[in-house]
Amino acid sequence: MTNDELDKFAASLRGAVIRAGSPEYDEARKLYNAMIDKRPLLIARCADVSDVIACVNFGRDSKLPIAVRGGGHNGPGLGSVDDGLVIDLSQMTGVRVDAKGKTARVGPGCTTGDVDHATHAFGMAVPFGIISTTGVAGLTLSGGHGYLSRQYGLAVDNLIEADVVLSDGSFVTTSDTENPELMWALRGGGGNFGIVTSFVFRLSPAKVLYGGPIVFEISEAAEVMRWYRSFQATAPDDFYIFLGLQSVPATDPFPREHWNKRMCVLLVAHNGEGAEAAVNAIRGQLPKPIIDWAAPIPYPALQAMFDPFYPKGMQWYWKGDFVKTLPDAAIEAHIEHAVAGNEFSCMHLYPIDGQVQRKRQDESAWSTRDATWSMVIVGVHPEPSEAAAIKNWATGYWQAVHPYNLAGAYPNFMMADEGEARVRASFGNNYARLAALKQKFDPHNLFHVNQNIRPAA
């Protein structure tokens, strides 16, 4: 590829094109996960849909591998590609709230915090994840679960329209009535089918919740986990609790006597009537905590609670599974391996029952409607020298608990080295339909830097 060709491409965009060797190149190519180091040929920071179309056409015609970056929070580093074109949507961050219609139109570069800020003024929210720096696009296209999921469903269950640039450079709008097959695939099928340049979400009430961490000594973990297993089976939809095994952060405002201590934490979030009384009721059923900060909290503050502890640029290795039951043997294995983790690493169990289970398996590409939790084991450390150790810890932990879990995992909790069998397991009975739609919308697998669904033969 000649410099003249690159110059012509760059001149065709309103956004900036950053090339290998440019002064800003090394900063621009950095990934959320510093364990992964990729060197793309070009990074195109799109300003609008026209730029996205131009990028797709140029990348396809130039036979460049293409990666798409939204909010840039991708654990396996799938927002970049060696020797290829990164279509960077991070500058496309508009949010428009329609308070009367209870919807929000969201740009593909937005983080969930951008959307929370815009919708909070109207007392509404979209059910996203638990960290406000997470990109909306990546989170949504693989499902999207978080504090409001039991009450309002997944992010994809609240996606009602999308604008998409397809692999041939064409632009389409999709909804339940317009290009409905594409909408079905976008609701959980990842970035396999095109580049979404605008999302429209349904909004639901969420202003001030009663929530926060209730922390127990690790010696109480087995009792707390057994209680949690029982509670989850009958919990009302507006009462969400995720369970974590991790360490007390060594920073204020956490009490110094507990810094770096391994703990079992219940992160509670109640978004309904009688919230404080409901949380008080469970307080009476549990061991005495070492920290209890559950209290009224604005939804955006709850969403941002974990942001300071997991900044961009750390070493990450994730392993996930869908979990249906939590037998005593699994609890024992969890505790045994969790206590061996470093002060940054953790395991979380996120509820995905309630409203999530009230849709049919074939209603969207997200197929695991019978699971109770989505589990993630996160090996993380700021030092590159610890990369091998955190990978070994996370892998050993996962191998110990996976026999008690379902075959597949939330795609956003999978690394790039897990293989096609795990991707197929994660989509379950919907995989064949997804492969057929991949053949229709991206027959040459242009969009393959993802948890890839191969086009049907």
Side-chain angles (χ1 to χ4, degrees), residues 69-280:
R69 179 185 297 172
H73 199 273
N74 186 269
L78 298 174
S80 188
V81 60
D82 285 320
D83 301 318
L85 171 63
V86 174
I87 301 178
D88 187 334
L89 311 176
S90 63
Q91 309 303 299
M92 299 171 65
T93 56
V95 180
R96 186 187 184 281
V97 175
D98 176 356
K100 185 176 180 180
K102 297 183 179 180
T103 63
R105 182 174 290 275
V106 177
C110 287
T111 64
T112 63
D114 294 330
V115 181
D116 294 338
H117 175 78
T119 60
H120 185 64
F122 301 95
M124 293 185 286
V126 181
F128 287 139
I130 67 151
I131 294 181
S132 76
T133 56
T134 305
V136 166
L139 177 135
T140 297
L141 293 174
S142 287
H145 58 67
Y147 293 115
L148 301 175
S149 295
R150 300 192 72 252
Q151 189 173 17
Y152 300 133
L154 303 167
V156 288
D157 297 335
N158 292 273
L159 177 65
I160 57 178
E161 184 180 294
D163 293 336
V164 189
V165 177
L166 300 177
S167 62
D168 63 1
S170 61
F171 174 87
V172 298
T173 297
T174 178
S175 67
D176 286 337
T177 56
E178 186 176 5
N179 297 304
E181 284 185 317
L182 180 58
M183 175 55 76
W184 182 91
L186 293 180
R187 287 178 172 148
N192 278 283
F193 303 94
I195 300 178
V196 177
T197 60
S198 177
F199 297 84
V200 179
F201 293 101
R202 180 186 306 108
L203 298 177
S204 297
K207 184 73 171 179
V208 176
L209 285 68
Y210 194 95
I214 303 176
V215 178
F216 305 89
E217 297 275 8
I218 197 67
S219 59
E220 308 280 11
E223 180 181 348
V224 172
M225 292 178 79
R226 288 193 294 270
W227 173 89
Y228 180 60
R229 175 181 66 194
S230 230
F231 166 84
Q232 192 64 37
T234 59
D237 290 355
D238 56 8
F239 199 170
Y240 174 100
I241 303 178
F242 84 71
L243 181 140
L245 299 175
Q246 55 196 96
S247 293
V248 178
T251 183
D252 293 330
F254 294 92
R256 282 181 177 268
E257 66 267 28
H258 299 310
W259 283 10
N260 290 330
K261 183 183 290 185
R262 294 307 271 179
M263 65 174 176
C264 178
V265 59
L266 297 176
L267 204 300
V268 306
H270 197 297
N271 186 41
E273 296 294 326
E276 184 173 3
V279 176
N280 282 339

Side-chain angles (χ1 to χ4, degrees), residues 32-49:
Y32 178 76
N33 184 354
M35 189 185 288
I36 301 166
D37 184 33
K38 293 186 179 181
R39 304 188 67 87
L41 179 68
L42 301 167
I43 301 169
R45 287 182 167 161
C46 298
D48 53 27
V49 174

Side-chain angles (χ1 to χ4, degrees), residues 31-35 309-316 344 380-382:
L31 299 175
Y32 178 76
N33 184 354
M35 189 185 288
F309 309 119
Y310 296 112
K312 179 179 179 180
M314 298 182 82
Q315 308 287 308
W316 292 85
F344 303 98
V380 60
H381 201 280

Side-chain angles (χ1 to χ4, degrees), residues 215-407:
V215 178
F216 305 89
E217 297 275 8
I218 197 67
S219 59
E220 308 280 11
E223 180 181 348
V224 172
M225 292 178 79
R226 288 193 294 270
W227 173 89
Y228 180 60
R229 175 181 66 194
S230 230
F231 166 84
Q232 192 64 37
T234 59
D237 290 355
D238 56 8
F239 199 170
Y240 174 100
I241 303 178
F242 84 71
L243 181 140
L245 299 175
Q246 55 196 96
S247 293
V248 178
T251 183
D252 293 330
F254 294 92
R256 282 181 177 268
E257 66 267 28
H258 299 310
W259 283 10
N260 290 330
K261 183 183 290 185
R262 294 307 271 179
M263 65 174 176
C264 178
V265 59
L266 297 176
L267 204 300
V268 306
H270 197 297
N271 186 41
E273 296 294 326
E276 184 173 3
V279 176
N280 282 339
I282 70 162
R283 284 177 168 127
Q285 301 166 15
L286 289 160
K288 183 179 179 180
I290 57 174
I291 298 170
D292 185 344
W293 288 342
I297 184 170
Y299 179 67
L302 183 67
Q303 282 278 78
M305 186 175 290
F306 283 90
D307 292 3
F309 309 119
Y310 296 112
K312 179 179 179 180
M314 298 182 82
Q315 308 287 308
W316 292 85
Y317 194 82
W318 298 354
K319 294 291 288 187
D321 268 342
F322 289 125
V323 180
K324 192 165 186 175
T325 62
L326 191 63
D328 288 348
I331 289 173
E332 183 178 338
H334 273 291
I335 296 169
E336 176 187 349
H337 287 269
V339 296
N342 65 44
E343 65 269 35
F344 303 98
S345 298
C346 65
M347 185 285 297
H348 287 172
L349 284 171
Y350 302 112
I352 50 170
D353 53 354
Q355 288 296 328
V356 179
Q357 292 185 341
R358 296 190 185 106
K359 288 185 176 291
R360 298 188 316 274
Q361 184 187 63
D362 62 356
E363 219 167 317
S364 66
W366 171 288
S367 67
T368 310
R369 299 284 180 174
D370 60 342
T372 309
W373 297 281
S374 173
M375 179 200 75
V376 65
I377 298 165
V378 182
V380 60
H381 201 280
E383 296 299 328
S385 60
E386 295 296 316
I390 62 173
K391 180 176 180 178
N392 289 339
W393 174 80
T395 302
Y397 189 158
W398 179 82
Q399 289 171 342
V401 299
H402 181 63
Y404 305 102
N405 301 336
L406 301 181

